[in-house]
Amino acid sequence: MPDAPPRLEPFTPRTEPAALDDLRARLRATRWPDAPEEAGWSLGTDLAYLRELVAYWADGFDWPAQEAALARLPRFRARIGGLGIHFVHARAAAPAGPVLPLVLSHGWPDSFWRYTKVIPLLTDPGAHGADPADAFDVVVPDIPGYGYSDRPTGPPLDSIAVAGLWAELMSVLGYSRFGAAGGDLGSHVTRYLGLDHPGRVVAVHRTDAGLPVFTGDPADLTPEERAWFERVAAWGAAEGAYAAMHRTKPQTAAFGLTDSPAGLAAWIVEKLRAWSDCDGDVERRFTKDEILTNVTLYWLTGTIGSSMRMYHANAAIPPAQHARRVEVPSGFSLFQGDVVRPPRAWLERTTNVVYVAEPARGGHFAPFEEPELYAEELRAFFRPYRAAAG
């Protein structure tokens, strides 16, 4: 007999009070490092800001309220590829035409959290001042090793493997054709969905092109591409220490970050500040409650180590994979506050690019920073491809 299809189990986690008591005790017992006077954020996470954030986490942050808010999303778990995968599956509300299924892939350091603000804007555009004909069925999975998905017990999965899981998940949900979108690591996953499942994916949308890998003759690059490569190298030298650790020795960092909630918050909040369009003030883009919801998800699921190990897996992807060109229609929304924004010439070299926009606000976490702008970008890009998924 054929294998039974995976069962979709509604998922509503409930955190035990003892886990929160332990978290608060650890926060209150934090052993703080010293810092040079006036260091601010110049050497990494600012000591004064983290003390303030940790004090609020211990005595002001209401995780049960945040957990209840997340529970209002239609969330499920299913066994896909031998792993329990957690995902949001929100269907279009009152659609006025063909509904396009859309799988959204997150990055690091986040989870399905990245898309929580934008989901209702995509499923019910009519309720938010947009055209009801632009409604999507939205699927937001947690990558294995992130959030509430299982942590792989064997070798970590790379972006190619995750793209295969998402294609299988969309089949389980009954979608033969669909759109795909993502940023950060989710941009890689989205790229491989387009590369390896072109018969399934009608179009792909990304907020970045990843860090460039080029195996050809550098003389073939345009001046704009060469200048971009130089900017990327400079950014890596100044900002890339975290990624080098993730790629090479993630397990070493995992001990401290899994044991110390203050250390975990420092590792994550510095990236929220550095990569967002916040002009140096992280709370211009993320409230303390929003920051701590993301960090608490990592803490309670114990996934900081497993999330970092995906960098190690991706570093082993063969160069030939990076040289492949995405031929399905590709769109890019390059938000002004993002890091290492690619030139048009690189997008044309590596993809069948049909759409490039440069929204004036928002950074690396655009779906969370600017959900309305991000939703507008997805509606505009995918509009011509709705009928193809019917």
Side-chain angles (χ1 to χ4, degrees), residues 203-204 327-332 344 351-356 381 384-385:
V204 297
E327 299 298 343
V328 301
S330 298
F332 293 85
R344 177 81 185 229
T351 71
N352 173 21
V353 61
V354 298
Y355 178 95
V356 178
F381 170 66
Y385 306 105

Side-chain angles (χ1 to χ4, degrees), residues 230-319:
E230 292 173 0
R231 292 196 301 273
V232 169
W235 182 87
E239 301 288 341
Y242 81 98
M245 173 64 82
H246 292 193
R247 286 193 303 270
T248 59
K249 306 296 181 187
Q251 201 62 26
T252 300
F255 288 101
L257 300 179
T258 303
D259 188 60
S260 167
L264 176 66
W267 200 253
I268 290 177
V269 75
E270 192 268 331
K271 297 310 173 200
L272 296 180
R273 175 186 178 274
W275 298 347
S276 64
D277 183 19
C278 73
D279 289 331
D281 179 3
V282 67
E283 291 189 20
R284 284 188 55 188
R285 284 298 180 180
F286 309 96
T287 67
K288 282 186 173 69
D289 282 345
E290 291 170 345
I291 294 167
L292 292 174
T293 295
N294 184 30
V295 178
T296 304
L297 282 167
Y298 271 93
W299 177 259
L300 293 174
T301 57
T303 49
I304 189 63
S306 54
S307 73
M308 296 189 298
R309 288 195 293 270
M310 189 174 179
Y311 283 69
H312 183 75
N314 277 345
I317 291 175

